[in-house]
Amino acid sequence: MKISLVEEITGISASTIRYYEQINLVIPIRDENNYRNYSDSNVETLLEIKLLKKLGFPLKVIEKIINKEMSLQQGIDTAIHNLEQQKSDIDDSLQLLNLLKESHHDKKKIDTRIYVGKLFDFKVSNHPFIDFCDSISDLLAKYTFTLRKGFYPEEIISTPRDFTLELLRYAQREEKTLEILNESMHPVIIVNGRQYQAIRTFEKYGIPIVYFKPKSSSDDNTIHQ
């Protein structure tokens, strides 16, 4: 069946289905004209992925379950642990947002420096409130000469494959076109037609982050490393 029909049956967008293809969760058959032909088994797999994601399973865990590398029971235990951590993060975010609301009732500008320190008092990584602070930084960056580009990875990056998966997640999440020129721990990528070097690093408080460093023509030799 065509991707449009699969999209209608599963309620999963075509772009997300193609993303699952990129990470080999769904492998359609190619006909003689090299067009994708999705099977009933592909549809069942997509519905299983949709259900597990709805239940809070991380994509890495779903991959292992689909590939028979992890039992469903192990996946459930991992999902429960992650949801409990997310609940804790949300509670912390609500506390900080209420603090912001109370202290900035009549103010039009937020001094994020005051709250970043409070944020890291919680000693958690990938905290939802980080995104709030980051969005403020992006707004302020419009008035500076250098715009920082990057994202906070959803999971630990310890191998080139991990890095590739996080970049694909970023592109799918942000609805950007992304091409990975070399799979490594310092991959060269093209985002919306512009070339960057993706760099995994850590912020001052140990928060993992991926930066996009613009590449110049003099850096082209690094593509083939």
Side-chain angles (χ1 to χ4, degrees):
M1 66 187 78
K2 294 183 179 180
I3 194 169
S4 57
L5 180 56
V6 176
E7 188 176 20
E8 181 180 345
I9 293 172
T10 63
I12 301 173
S13 68
S15 60
T16 300
I17 294 171
R18 292 193 182 97
Y19 167 60
Y20 291 152
E21 287 180 44
Q22 287 181 291
I23 60 176
N24 296 319
L25 277 179
V26 177
I27 305 175
I29 300 170
R30 297 278 182 168
D31 63 20
E32 62 273 11
N33 296 317
N34 204 32
Y35 291 122
R36 296 177 178 88
N37 185 14
Y38 297 89
S39 65
D40 291 340
S41 177
N42 293 149
V43 171
E44 290 176 7
T45 298
L46 287 167
L47 290 172
E48 182 179 356
I49 294 169
K50 184 177 181 178
L51 173 62
L52 294 178
K53 282 183 65 67
K54 187 70 174 178
L55 293 174
F57 282 63
L59 192 55
K60 275 189 176 182
V61 172
I62 294 175
E63 287 183 78
K64 290 180 179 179
I65 292 173
I66 296 295
N67 295 323
K68 310 299 182 184
E69 297 172 4
M70 177 185 287
S71 70
L72 180 59
Q73 185 61 54
Q74 290 174 311
I76 290 172
D77 291 339
T78 301
I80 289 173
H81 172 77
N82 288 343
L83 286 171
E84 288 174 344
Q85 182 62 63
Q86 290 174 30
K87 181 179 182 299
S88 176
D89 291 346
I90 291 170
D91 289 341
D92 293 342
S93 290
L94 286 171
Q95 183 179 341
L96 283 169
L97 287 170
N98 282 320
L99 180 62
L100 274 172
K101 181 179 178 180
E102 292 171 4
S103 58
H104 287 78
H105 181 68
D106 296 320
K107 297 180 181 179
K108 296 182 179 179
K109 183 178 180 181
I110 296 175
D111 186 350
T112 57
R113 293 172 296 178
I114 296 174
Y115 299 97
V116 169
K118 295 182 182 295
L119 166 66
F120 290 108
D121 286 342
F122 291 103
K123 295 181 175 62
V124 296
S125 62
N126 297 330
H127 193 286
F129 195 72
I130 293 174
D131 293 333
F132 172 78
C133 293
D134 199 45
S135 65
I136 295 296
S137 297
D138 285 343
L139 288 173
L140 294 176
K142 293 180 180 179
Y143 303 99
T144 63
F145 291 101
T146 303
L147 174 62
R148 180 173 65 78
K149 294 182 182 293
F151 64 93
Y152 294 96
E154 294 180 6
E155 301 187 41
I156 295 173
I157 297 175
S158 56
T159 67
R161 178 60 175 167
D162 291 340
F163 214 149
T164 294
L165 289 174
E166 285 298 333
L167 289 168
L168 290 173
R169 289 189 187 102
Y170 160 79
Q172 198 261 338
R173 184 172 62 246
E174 300 294 327
E175 297 183 348
K176 298 181 183 293
T177 59
L178 183 144
E179 180 183 356
I180 300 173
L181 301 183
N182 66 326
E183 187 171 85
S184 74
M185 294 301 288
H186 302 280
V188 177
I189 62 176
I190 297 176
V191 182
N192 288 352
R194 186 170 181 185
Q195 188 167 293
Y196 297 92
Q197 181 109 45
I199 301 171
R200 182 201 62 170
T201 184
F202 296 89
E203 292 193 333
K204 180 179 179 181
Y205 294 91
I207 303 298
I209 190 169
V210 173
Y211 283 110
F212 294 163
K213 175 185 175 184
K215 284 183 60 64
S216 63
S217 57
S218 60
D219 296 328
D220 286 346
N221 61 328
T222 62
I223 294 178
H224 305 291
Q225 292 181 355

